[in-house]
Amino acid sequence: MINIVIAGAVGLILSMLGTPLAIRLFSRRGYGQQIREEGVQAHHGKRGTPTMGGTVFVLASLFAYGASHMATISPPTVSGMLVLFLMTGLGAVGFLDDFIKIYKQRSLGLRSGAKALGQLIVGAVFAFLVVRQPNVYGITPAETRLSFLRDIGPSIGLAGFTIWVLILIVGFSNAVNLTDGLDGLASGAAGVVLGAYVLIGNWQLRNNCIDQLGPNCYWVRDPLDLAVVASAVLGSLIGFLWWNAPPAKIFMGDTGSLALGGVLAGLAIATRTQLLLIILAGLCVMITASVIIQVGFFKMTGKRVFRMAPLQHHFELKGWAETTIVVRFWLIAMLCAALGIGLFYVEWMPR
């Protein structure tokens, strides 16, 4: 269990100290945020704020994960490495998108097709590997089945599972990306879900089928290491949020938002809680749904449901202060995570 504490503490310290260094470096090089002309007018004052801050907490997470294993003289696991690969790979796609925005001095980076292709390539490699690499007990990081609190139903086949994994990865990386519109909003919302996965990984470790076979035990390959990954990213994200909270001194950019979406999807797949993630990350799902509703309704009727999508900008145009929106949305994120954790534990309640 000390791995979890070390990973979180090292990630927090590295990110807390590393982010101001990144702010100075990016500021000197002119790596500032570009703002859409058609966006919320109040955001134009944020033009030039250093972006690509996601590089800080992604690197801090990797170092924190490695430090926890070196400190406890324990080898990294396949599950943990795969989730970190997914986070880093999607972060690299986001980094390229951010860099193009800065280099071209525009608010749009990679073309949508190229961006989606990058996400699909990284996701496909993850999907290919995650159903392989069994341990000595024959347990692989994932099975070709859907999961809620654990695996459910029959196998959907390798092709069906690959498509499902790609939907999760692309869906949640874009969902966090859409949530990242106000100072600290995506950082806080993702942090709450990561905290939930620290608890889930710990509970699955204490009730794994290898140590104590029972009716409710979990066939999860590396539950402790998945909790370590969640803790490393959470600690790094908290350190980053210190500087990203309103008024933000640095933005995470697509580098950070795609990486965070990837790590959430990876944790859900490896802990066998794929459908539960929809509840745990309910705020991101709501914000994504607001965009789908807005676009779909406008195409059908020529009218808008919201003043602006994603949802947080609707409330900005209604006159809500940015900090009010962020704090209230954080509260919604906490309620969603609490509901998800409650559902996860409900099968252990006495009947």
Side-chain angles (χ1 to χ4, degrees):
M1 306 307 294
I2 191 65
N3 302 54
I4 297 175
V5 177
I6 293 173
V10 172
L12 173 63
I13 294 169
L14 290 177
S15 188
M16 181 78 78
L17 299 178
T19 303
L21 297 178
I23 293 172
R24 290 196 289 272
L25 175 62
F26 294 164
S27 296
R28 284 200 301 268
R29 292 182 173 273
Y31 293 173
Q33 178 70 34
Q34 302 298 313
I35 305 296
R36 290 186 304 164
E37 293 297 329
E38 68 274 17
V40 179
Q41 290 301 308
H43 289 193
H44 287 270
K46 300 180 180 183
R47 187 186 302 273
T49 302
T51 187
M52 294 198 300
T55 55
V56 178
F57 64 75
V58 169
L59 291 174
S61 301
L62 297 176
F63 278 109
Y65 176 80
S68 71
H69 284 284
M70 286 189 291
T72 55
I73 318 178
S74 59
T77 67
V78 170
S79 299
M81 295 295 287
L82 280 174
V83 174
L84 290 175
F85 160 77
L86 183 59
M87 177 186 73
T88 308
L90 291 178
V93 174
F95 180 87
L96 183 58
D97 185 61
D98 287 333
F99 187 79
I100 291 173
K101 291 176 187 175
I102 293 166
Y103 183 75
K104 299 285 188 179
Q105 290 294 296
R106 65 189 190 192
S107 61
L108 297 176
L110 283 172
R111 295 184 182 275
S112 58
K115 190 173 180 179
L117 179 62
Q119 292 171 296
L120 290 173
I121 291 173
V122 175
V125 174
F126 175 84
F128 176 81
L129 295 174
V130 80
V131 292
R132 292 166 172 79
Q133 314 299 326
N135 62 8
V136 294
Y137 300 99
I139 306 173
T140 53
E143 297 285 346
T144 56
R145 300 163 64 188
L146 299 179
S147 61
F148 180 44
L149 306 180
R150 58 185 72 249
D151 288 332
I152 54 175
S155 169
I156 58 175
L158 183 58
F161 182 76
T162 300
I163 294 170
W164 168 239
V165 166
L166 291 176
I167 291 172
L168 279 178
I169 291 170
V170 175
F172 276 97
S173 59
N174 288 328
V176 177
N177 187 242
L178 290 171
T179 304
D180 182 31
L182 300 180
D183 296 356
L185 179 56
S187 303
V192 169
V193 184
L194 288 166
Y197 273 112
V198 173
L199 297 176
I200 288 172
N202 183 46
W203 187 256
Q204 290 177 334
L205 172 68
R206 294 174 179 274
N207 297 279
N208 70 86
C209 296
I210 296 172
D211 292 335
Q212 47 183 40
L213 189 62
N216 291 328
C217 65
Y218 299 99
W219 291 102
V220 176
R221 191 189 191 284
D222 306 296
L224 173 59
D225 210 39
L226 293 170
V228 170
V229 170
S231 179
V233 182
L234 175 59
S236 302
L237 197 57
I238 292 172
F240 175 78
L241 182 57
W242 181 268
W243 305 99
N244 181 235
K249 301 293 188 297
I250 188 171
F251 299 139
M252 69 170 66
D254 282 19
T255 307
S257 58
L258 296 188
L260 286 177
V263 76
L264 295 183
L267 286 169
I269 293 164
T271 58
R272 319 290 178 95
T273 56
Q274 300 154 16
L275 296 174
L276 184 64
L277 179 60
I278 297 172
I279 298 171
L280 291 169
L283 175 66
C284 298
V285 173
M286 292 177 200
I287 288 174
T288 304
S290 73
V291 175
I292 296 171
I293 292 169
Q294 182 87 323
V295 173
F297 194 78
F298 184 79
K299 286 184 175 180
M300 288 188 295
T301 67
K303 298 180 180 179
R304 292 178 171 84
V305 177
F306 308 103
R307 295 188 181 185
M308 188 175 181
L311 188 61
Q312 60 269 32
H313 299 318
H314 168 77
F315 290 105
E316 276 192 290
L317 294 180
K318 288 190 68 174
W320 287 25
E322 181 173 359
T323 51
T324 300
I325 299 169
V326 170
V327 171
R328 288 178 177 173
F329 275 39
W330 280 353
L331 293 174
I332 294 171
M334 292 176 192
L335 290 173
C336 291
L339 175 60
I341 288 293
L343 290 173
F344 182 76
Y345 284 124
V346 74
E347 65 180 352
W348 291 88
M349 296 177 64
R351 292 178 173 81

